[in-house]
Amino acid sequence: MHIVLVHGMGGSDFDWSAVTPLLESAGFGVSVADNPSQSLDDDIAAVRALIDAADDDVLLVGHSYGGAVITNAGRHDRVRGVVYIAAFAPDEGETVNGIVTRYEPAEVARFMTRGPDGEWIGVESDEARQALSWDVPEDVMQARSTRRRASADAIFTQPTGVPAWASKPAWYMIATLDKHLRPEAQRDMAARADATIEEVATSHSVPLAAPGAVSSFVSRAAVALAPV
């Protein structure tokens, strides 16, 4: 099973830097997306290209906004399952923004600002870091900050097609202390997708805060999908 990891809004392949070596040491081939996050459709196409390039069946793993990407890219014939890590799992016709607005605003929402072209930019401050990633080491967050990018509004407003989770096995890791994507929203999406659920007491930055737990969860999903 080949594993494709997809980061969230404003992120990069660095977000998976602690998980990737653990999966590779467990014997899995791994590809890591580094999507520009300027359009949901473009990010879907980029992930589909990684699926096409893989040398085996594929398990898609998405964090945060990356969940919307894998929900759509997961319709690819070679994808066997989808894993959500504190991620959006939209239904057909839904948008990320539509999901967010169904719930009370998350604490981190006050640390988001808009650029001149409507792009979303995370505020860089100690207070913002504590809200988003209080359990990630400071040096890791400093390294991550050098790779952050602004994300266009289109990633939140382009609707999802038929979701991969409607026809393929799904797993969902809920971050119970998440101040970015409300845990109740995560639970609702996981239940709707009939996902296998595991909870972890971390911030929203699960892949950097608990890489061992993420790697173990993804590995178990991959093993479950392996042919008998």
Side-chain angles (χ1 to χ4, degrees):
M1 187 70 63
H2 189 90
I3 297 171
V4 176
L5 304 173
V6 185
H7 63 78
M9 182 208 82
S12 71
D13 55 349
F14 180 85
D15 292 4
W16 296 105
S17 59
V19 173
T20 300
L22 298 178
L23 291 173
E24 291 176 336
S25 68
F28 296 106
V30 181
S31 298
V32 187
D34 191 15
N35 292 335
S37 301
Q38 299 306 294
S39 136
L40 175 60
D41 291 341
D42 288 347
D43 290 347
I44 293 166
V47 170
R48 287 181 63 90
L50 293 177
I51 297 167
D52 287 334
D55 58 2
D56 201 349
D57 289 341
V58 170
L59 175 64
L60 291 180
V61 184
H63 172 239
S64 194
Y65 153 72
V69 179
I70 69 168
T71 296
N72 289 276
R75 293 191 295 271
H76 194 294
D77 290 343
R78 296 183 63 196
V79 173
R80 294 292 171 260
V82 285
V83 180
Y84 297 90
I85 308 296
F88 289 92
D91 202 349
E92 184 173 7
E94 280 187 333
T95 65
V96 169
N97 190 59
I99 293 170
V100 169
T101 56
R102 287 206 299 267
Y103 300 87
E104 290 295 319
E107 183 174 333
V108 169
R110 63 194 176 98
F111 299 112
M112 298 300 298
T113 186
R114 303 294 288 270
D117 297 318
E119 65 272 24
W120 288 91
I121 305 169
V123 172
E124 294 288 344
S125 69
D126 289 342
E127 189 180 10
R129 176 196 173 281
Q130 284 297 314
L132 178 64
S133 307
W134 49 266
D135 49 356
V136 178
E138 179 66 32
D139 61 328
V140 175
M141 287 307 297
Q142 287 179 351
R144 182 182 186 272
S145 69
T146 67
R147 302 287 303 278
R148 285 182 61 81
R149 52 168 67 97
S151 298
D153 192 50
I155 70 171
F156 299 108
T157 57
Q158 289 180 337
T160 282
V162 176
W165 53 256
S167 59
K168 299 181 181 183
W171 286 259
Y172 200 112
M173 177 170 275
I174 297 169
T176 61
L177 303 179
D178 198 329
K179 298 180 181 180
H180 182 91
L181 177 56
R182 297 185 70 92
E184 59 265 36
Q186 296 180 44
R187 292 190 178 96
D188 289 346
M189 289 185 285
R192 181 174 64 180
D194 194 25
T196 298
I197 296 171
E198 183 169 305
E199 296 192 353
V200 61
T202 71
S203 69
H204 186 63
S205 299
V206 193
L208 293 172
V214 172
S215 174
S216 177
F217 188 59
V218 173
S219 295
R220 293 197 301 274
V223 170
L225 292 171
V228 177

